[in-house]
Amino acid sequence: MKKILLVSLLMLSMNMQAQEVFNELRQKNKSIVENPQSNELVRKISQFKLDALNYMVIKMQEEMPDSTVDYLDRQAYAMNAFVSFYIEKLIKLNNMPQSLQVKMTKMFMDASYSNPLFKDKDKDLTLSYYNCGECLTRFSLDTDWPRALAAITKLMEDEE
């Protein structure tokens, strides 16, 4: 009986830790978005991340109710890594020709668009950032983020 209780407590703490990553990312980005002192560019990036996280959790509840918290955590972590990788690449290309920046942005956009998670038919919603010419984070909300991150990482390695 003690073993069952110990294993149950261990599993509960593992689920809570996994959920902490999603919740931490969500709370961090929400705080940035709601802080009027935040840099406007940082706020816009955080707004995308917050919208992507909210979309992800809603769609997973609707379409993948049996998915684990760990799955949500992996998606959230990969989304954050994808956006951070994109920003890092943009900064590195800042003094390069505009055509290189556009090419790199299109590669990230394609990695996001070409790796849907839910195959959502509501393109107005899922492509709201993707189709926004003024947005820095022009990615689809309907993205399988670990797959998109792997795809763009491979593309970037091939480019170098």
Side-chain angles (χ1 to χ4, degrees), residues 46-56 129 141:
S46 290
Q47 183 64 61
F48 171 80
K49 289 179 179 181
L50 183 60
D51 289 345
L53 291 167
N54 288 335
Y55 171 82
M56 190 184 318
Y129 283 91
L141 294 176

Side-chain angles (χ1 to χ4, degrees), residues 16-93:
M16 288 176 66
Q17 287 174 343
Q19 196 171 15
E20 284 179 24
V21 174
F22 172 85
N23 288 336
E24 180 67 28
L25 284 172
R26 190 173 179 284
Q27 187 55 45
K28 177 185 172 191
N29 287 292
K30 185 177 180 186
S31 295
I32 292 169
V33 167
E34 293 175 349
N35 182 354
Q37 303 298 318
S38 296
N39 174 288
E40 183 179 349
L41 188 58
V42 173
R43 193 172 330 127
K44 287 180 180 183
I45 294 166
S46 290
Q47 183 64 61
F48 171 80
K49 289 179 179 181
L50 183 60
D51 289 345
L53 291 167
N54 288 335
Y55 171 82
M56 190 184 318
V57 76
I58 289 167
K59 291 303 284 186
M60 286 182 79
Q61 288 172 349
E62 289 174 3
E63 297 193 21
M64 304 168 78
D66 296 334
S67 63
T68 64
V69 174
D70 185 52
Y71 186 77
L72 179 63
D73 180 52
R74 286 192 312 268
Q75 287 291 329
Y77 184 81
M79 180 275 301
N80 193 60
F82 183 93
V83 174
S84 296
F85 188 43
Y86 172 68
I87 300 302
E88 175 187 323
K89 290 294 185 183
L90 268 184
I91 291 169
K92 285 183 180 177
L93 290 177

Side-chain angles (χ1 to χ4, degrees), residues 82 145-155:
F82 183 93
W145 294 105
R147 277 193 2 229
L149 181 59
I152 197 62
T153 301
K154 182 171 179 1
L155 277 173

